[in-house]
Amino acid sequence: MCANRADLVEDLNRLMAEEAEACLRYFQMRFRLRGPGRVAAEAFFEDALRETLEHADAIAQQIRSLGHIPRLRIDLSLDGGPMRPAEALAEALDVEQQALDAYKEFLPRTASHPTLEKFIHAQIAVETEHVQEILTIAPAGAPLKLVDKPGS
Amino acid sequence: METWKEFEANELTHSAAHHLLAIYDVGLKYGGWARVSDIARDLNITRGSVSINLRALKKRGWVETDAHRLVKLTSTGLQAAKSVMAKRVILKTFISDILGVPRTQAEIDSCKIEHLISQATGERLALFLRFLSGDTRATHDLIPRFRRFRGDCPKNRTCDVCKGQCLMDELKRAI
């Protein structure tokens, strides 16, 4: 399935918004964490927010290489009370899973753009890792197994 | 509970109402099932946001998901969505057809309050619309007469509606 350049860019803008929004979500989520495992979960979200920002940036570079300027449209208001780390990770899992699904759905549209196709393949691999990582530390319904980093 | 606090604690938020309606609309073509990506496009928000918002709707028992992460309204969710849709139609009809507010504005205003008014108010409004569209001469004349009515406020700025403080003046001053 091929797509014209404008449609591709529009899809890339959406993917970038997913990543940028996830970054902001993780940024705020760190401050809601309470209870056992908080320090380790904070560290997890710090890494996650850095990585999502890097992903957003990488997508923006792809948009630029297609000759366009990224358009970031986010409609977000983040609040909410204290949150247990397991609950926060469950939300992160939803967000990461959606990002993974979005990349997978976008992949067939990149068939005539080898560089972009390679990039999306790489993103799928990374997002799959993220989902697996969250599933490993917080399987559905199981107690959180985060371990605080030494010295934290 | 004071009314404004009740408003804040409203169990069906504006966002939740729109998610239910989007799931309903998108699902119409697919036996009620909707993809998160289609809901996100319909609402013009990210898939991440939809998935987070769906968690709250699932907790309330308004939506269910399957192994492929497809989303469907439960019977309670469907009931809530249909109730919101009904209130929107009633409000829009009242605001545009009776009050004579332009359709676009009526659409916006009804969207803002559709999920906030009670069932009782919705029913009375629907009944009022039926009453006004009834076949009696009195109600037939009522709407055209209202449309022609240009009640200038009295010079002393008080009347039976305002009871001391001119509400029209307050509305004109509103931001």
mmCIF file of all heavy atoms in Angstrom, chain A residues 28-44:
data_model
loop_
_atom_site.group_PDB
_atom_site.id
_atom_site.type_symbol
_atom_site.label_atom_id
_atom_site.label_comp_id
_atom_site.label_asym_id
_atom_site.label_seq_id
_atom_site.Cartn_x
_atom_site.Cartn_y
_atom_site.Cartn_z
ATOM 1 N N GLN A 28 4.579 14.288 33.974
ATOM 2 C CA GLN A 28 3.667 14.632 35.070
ATOM 3 C C GLN A 28 3.426 13.443 35.999
ATOM 4 O O GLN A 28 3.296 13.601 37.208
ATOM 5 C CB GLN A 28 2.339 15.134 34.481
ATOM 6 C CG GLN A 28 1.419 15.795 35.493
ATOM 7 C CD GLN A 28 0.258 14.889 35.902
ATOM 8 O OE1 GLN A 28 0.153 13.757 35.436
ATOM 9 N NE2 GLN A 28 -0.603 15.395 36.770
ATOM 10 N N MET A 29 3.401 12.262 35.416
ATOM 11 C CA MET A 29 3.095 11.054 36.182
ATOM 12 C C MET A 29 4.109 10.819 37.307
ATOM 13 O O MET A 29 3.766 10.332 38.372
ATOM 14 C CB MET A 29 3.088 9.862 35.225
ATOM 15 C CG MET A 29 2.066 8.805 35.554
ATOM 16 S SD MET A 29 2.147 7.542 34.294
ATOM 17 C CE MET A 29 0.597 7.792 33.472
ATOM 18 N N ARG A 30 5.368 11.193 37.068
ATOM 19 C CA ARG A 30 6.420 10.994 38.077
ATOM 20 C C ARG A 30 6.051 11.633 39.404
ATOM 21 O O ARG A 30 6.415 11.153 40.463
ATOM 22 C CB ARG A 30 7.728 11.651 37.612
ATOM 23 C CG ARG A 30 8.442 10.923 36.520
ATOM 24 C CD ARG A 30 9.679 11.698 36.149
ATOM 25 N NE ARG A 30 9.355 13.076 35.809
ATOM 26 C CZ ARG A 30 10.186 14.095 35.879
ATOM 27 N NH1 ARG A 30 11.413 13.924 36.301
ATOM 28 N NH2 ARG A 30 9.817 15.307 35.528
ATOM 29 N N PHE A 31 5.334 12.775 39.302
ATOM 30 C CA PHE A 31 5.030 13.518 40.523
ATOM 31 C C PHE A 31 3.766 13.014 41.220
ATOM 32 O O PHE A 31 3.409 13.489 42.271
ATOM 33 C CB PHE A 31 4.905 15.018 40.188
ATOM 34 C CG PHE A 31 6.180 15.564 39.625
ATOM 35 C CD1 PHE A 31 6.347 15.701 38.251
ATOM 36 C CD2 PHE A 31 7.229 15.903 40.461
ATOM 37 C CE1 PHE A 31 7.534 16.183 37.724
ATOM 38 C CE2 PHE A 31 8.415 16.381 39.943
ATOM 39 C CZ PHE A 31 8.574 16.518 38.572
ATOM 40 N N ARG A 32 3.089 12.075 40.603
ATOM 41 C CA ARG A 32 1.877 11.516 41.221
ATOM 42 C C ARG A 32 2.174 10.217 41.963
ATOM 43 O O ARG A 32 1.326 9.691 42.656
ATOM 44 C CB ARG A 32 0.825 11.240 40.133
ATOM 45 C CG ARG A 32 0.308 12.487 39.456
ATOM 46 C CD ARG A 32 -0.601 12.140 38.304
ATOM 47 N NE ARG A 32 -1.791 11.432 38.756
ATOM 48 C CZ ARG A 32 -2.642 10.818 37.938
ATOM 49 N NH1 ARG A 32 -2.430 10.830 36.633
ATOM 50 N NH2 ARG A 32 -3.698 10.199 38.410
ATOM 51 N N LEU A 33 3.367 9.690 41.745
ATOM 52 C CA LEU A 33 3.697 8.366 42.301
ATOM 53 C C LEU A 33 3.784 8.382 43.821
ATOM 54 O O LEU A 33 4.400 9.279 44.406
ATOM 55 C CB LEU A 33 5.027 7.882 41.712
ATOM 56 C CG LEU A 33 5.039 7.653 40.202
ATOM 57 C CD1 LEU A 33 6.473 7.487 39.704
ATOM 58 C CD2 LEU A 33 4.215 6.424 39.854
ATOM 59 N N ARG A 34 3.136 7.404 44.423
ATOM 60 C CA ARG A 34 3.180 7.253 45.884
ATOM 61 C C ARG A 34 3.274 5.757 46.205
ATOM 62 O O ARG A 34 2.814 4.926 45.433
ATOM 63 C CB ARG A 34 1.901 7.782 46.544
ATOM 64 C CG ARG A 34 1.609 9.250 46.327
ATOM 65 C CD ARG A 34 2.535 10.158 47.144
ATOM 66 N NE ARG A 34 2.150 11.555 47.011
ATOM 67 C CZ ARG A 34 2.481 12.350 45.991
ATOM 68 N NH1 ARG A 34 3.204 11.862 44.990
ATOM 69 N NH2 ARG A 34 2.089 13.612 45.959
ATOM 70 N N GLY A 35 3.849 5.460 47.367
ATOM 71 C CA GLY A 35 3.854 4.077 47.852
ATOM 72 C C GLY A 35 5.094 3.289 47.479
ATOM 73 O O GLY A 35 6.030 3.829 46.865
ATOM 74 N N PRO A 36 5.117 2.007 47.839
ATOM 75 C CA PRO A 36 6.300 1.168 47.593
ATOM 76 C C PRO A 36 6.672 1.135 46.106
ATOM 77 O O PRO A 36 5.787 1.031 45.269
ATOM 78 C CB PRO A 36 5.857 -0.222 48.075
ATOM 79 C CG PRO A 36 4.662 0.011 48.932
ATOM 80 C CD PRO A 36 4.019 1.262 48.472
ATOM 81 N N GLY A 37 7.960 1.214 45.847
ATOM 82 C CA GLY A 37 8.427 1.156 44.462
ATOM 83 C C GLY A 37 8.436 2.513 43.777
ATOM 84 O O GLY A 37 8.738 2.623 42.599
ATOM 85 N N ARG A 38 8.121 3.584 44.553
ATOM 86 C CA ARG A 38 8.005 4.917 43.946
ATOM 87 C C ARG A 38 9.322 5.374 43.306
ATOM 88 O O ARG A 38 9.327 5.846 42.173
ATOM 89 C CB ARG A 38 7.573 5.938 45.004
ATOM 90 C CG ARG A 38 7.486 7.362 44.477
ATOM 91 C CD ARG A 38 7.154 8.353 45.580
ATOM 92 N NE ARG A 38 8.175 8.412 46.623
ATOM 93 C CZ ARG A 38 9.289 9.129 46.533
ATOM 94 N NH1 ARG A 38 9.528 9.857 45.453
ATOM 95 N NH2 ARG A 38 10.168 9.131 47.507
ATOM 96 N N VAL A 39 10.431 5.183 44.045
ATOM 97 C CA VAL A 39 11.714 5.697 43.547
ATOM 98 C C VAL A 39 12.100 5.012 42.237
ATOM 99 O O VAL A 39 12.491 5.652 41.260
ATOM 100 C CB VAL A 39 12.824 5.506 44.620
ATOM 101 C CG1 VAL A 39 14.181 5.946 44.084
ATOM 102 C CG2 VAL A 39 12.465 6.292 45.877
ATOM 103 N N ALA A 40 11.922 3.700 42.227
ATOM 104 C CA ALA A 40 12.273 2.944 41.013
ATOM 105 C C ALA A 40 11.337 3.319 39.857
ATOM 106 O O ALA A 40 11.772 3.453 38.709
ATOM 107 C CB ALA A 40 12.186 1.455 41.289
ATOM 108 N N ALA A 41 10.063 3.513 40.185
ATOM 109 C CA ALA A 41 9.105 3.881 39.129
ATOM 110 C C ALA A 41 9.429 5.262 38.575
ATOM 111 O O ALA A 41 9.324 5.507 37.373
ATOM 112 C CB ALA A 41 7.684 3.839 39.683
ATOM 113 N N GLU A 42 9.856 6.162 39.479
ATOM 114 C CA GLU A 42 10.238 7.509 39.024
ATOM 115 C C GLU A 42 11.383 7.415 38.021
ATOM 116 O O GLU A 42 11.377 8.078 36.992
ATOM 117 C CB GLU A 42 10.675 8.356 40.218
ATOM 118 C CG GLU A 42 9.567 9.218 40.779
ATOM 119 C CD GLU A 42 10.033 10.063 41.961
ATOM 120 O OE1 GLU A 42 11.243 10.331 42.073
ATOM 121 O OE2 GLU A 42 9.168 10.419 42.767
ATOM 122 N N ALA A 43 12.348 6.556 38.352
ATOM 123 C CA ALA A 43 13.498 6.376 37.453
ATOM 124 C C ALA A 43 13.027 5.815 36.107
ATOM 125 O O ALA A 43 13.482 6.247 35.042
ATOM 126 C CB ALA A 43 14.510 5.437 38.094
ATOM 127 N N PHE A 44 12.080 4.883 36.176
ATOM 128 C CA PHE A 44 11.538 4.305 34.937
ATOM 129 C C PHE A 44 10.905 5.405 34.079
ATOM 130 O O PHE A 44 11.150 5.496 32.868
ATOM 131 C CB PHE A 44 10.489 3.228 35.277
ATOM 132 C CG PHE A 44 9.708 2.761 34.077
ATOM 133 C CD1 PHE A 44 10.198 1.749 33.271
ATOM 134 C CD2 PHE A 44 8.494 3.359 33.740
ATOM 135 C CE1 PHE A 44 9.498 1.346 32.140
ATOM 136 C CE2 PHE A 44 7.785 2.955 32.620
ATOM 137 C CZ PHE A 44 8.278 1.937 31.824
#
